[in-house]
């Protein structure tokens, strides 16, 4: 697999073949890769929701101005940031580090204090922006991982986040919708798959200093 070839192959799929579904193994691999995404301090202040339920997706489609990708994709992936990210989330993270790496939690005290200092310095607005950025990092990993597996995607911001939060009862879970993506397989007659990918030339995009 050549990653450049796969990223050239990838496009924001507008027409999914609703009859084609990801296998459990395919879905698991994409989600496993997304789990490994970069995140500030490794905190991952978001949750990934995978919606399969047809009835729920019909309601989400109505909250997405009727875009067919919501229901035609094999799976709908929602990235929801943790609302009111605070010290308790940091403690949960450091405790998890201690468990995974078999170290004394007290050895992580200074690291935890540093993270808490950062978290506590953020206004609610800045905290929402920061946690949203982390979710977008994970979205990028999901898109790349899916392309590597030959799975089509469509990242989307065209939806009513407040309606999504209501339909999925996210407020009660301390979450807020940030961005979504459809996963599946393109229809053979989707003309956009044949369009030449347009990006800035590398010499205009990258500057060596």
């Amino acid at each position: 697999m050549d990653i450049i070839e796969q990223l050239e192959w990838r496009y924001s799929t507008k027409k999914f073949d609703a009859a084609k579904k990801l296998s459990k193994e395919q879905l698991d691999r994409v989600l496993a890769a997304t789990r490994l995404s970069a995140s500030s301090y490794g905190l991952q202040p978001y949750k990934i929701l995978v919606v399969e339920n047809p009835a729920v997706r019909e309601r989400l489609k109505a909250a997405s101005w009727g875009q067919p990708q919501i229901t035609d994709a094999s799976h709908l992936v929602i990235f929801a940031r943790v609302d009111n990210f605070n010290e308790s989330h940091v403690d949960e993270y450091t405790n998890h580090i201690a468990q995974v790496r078999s170290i004394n939690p007290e050895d992580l005290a200074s690291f935890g204090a540093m993270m808490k200092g950062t978290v506590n310095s953020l206004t609610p607005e800045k905290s929402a922006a920061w946690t949203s950025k982390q979710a977008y990092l994970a979205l990028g990993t999901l898109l790349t991982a899916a392309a590597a597996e030959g799975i089509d995607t469509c990242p989307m911001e065209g939806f009513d986040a407040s309606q999504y939060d209501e339909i999925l009862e996210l407020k009660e879970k301390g979450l807020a919708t940030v961005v979504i993506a459809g996963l599946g397989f393109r229809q053979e007659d989707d003309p956009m798959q044949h369009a030449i990918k347009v990006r800035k030339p590398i010499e205009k995009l990258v500057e060596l200093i």
Side-chain angles (χ1 to χ4, degrees), residues 112-155:
M114 180 186 65
M115 288 188 288
K116 288 177 182 179
T118 298
V119 170
N120 291 333
S121 71
L122 300 175
T123 64
E125 294 76 17
K126 288 184 177 181
S127 179
W130 173 67
T131 51
S132 294
K133 289 177 181 178
Q134 307 310 306
Y136 272 92
L137 285 173
L139 169 67
T141 302
L142 177 135
L143 299 179
T144 303
E149 295 291 317
I151 296 166
D152 288 301
T153 55
C154 183

Side-chain angles (χ1 to χ4, degrees), residues 62-150:
S64 308
W65 298 288
Q67 295 180 86
Q69 301 98 309
I70 303 299
T71 50
D72 290 349
S74 173
H75 293 76
L76 182 65
V77 181
I78 298 171
F79 293 86
R81 64 178 177 83
V82 174
D83 203 12
N84 189 30
F85 195 81
N86 55 52
E87 290 190 3
S88 67
H89 298 102
V90 174
D91 288 334
E92 181 180 356
Y93 176 52
T94 54
N95 287 335
H96 185 52
I97 294 175
Q99 180 182 24
V100 171
R101 295 179 177 172
S102 299
I103 59 179
N104 191 327
E106 294 181 359
D107 294 338
L108 297 168
S110 59
F111 181 47
M114 180 186 65
M115 288 188 288
K116 288 177 182 179
T118 298
V119 170
N120 291 333
S121 71
L122 300 175
T123 64
E125 294 76 17
K126 288 184 177 181
S127 179
W130 173 67
T131 51
S132 294
K133 289 177 181 178
Q134 307 310 306
Y136 272 92
L137 285 173
L139 169 67
T141 302
L142 177 135
L143 299 179
T144 303
E149 295 291 317

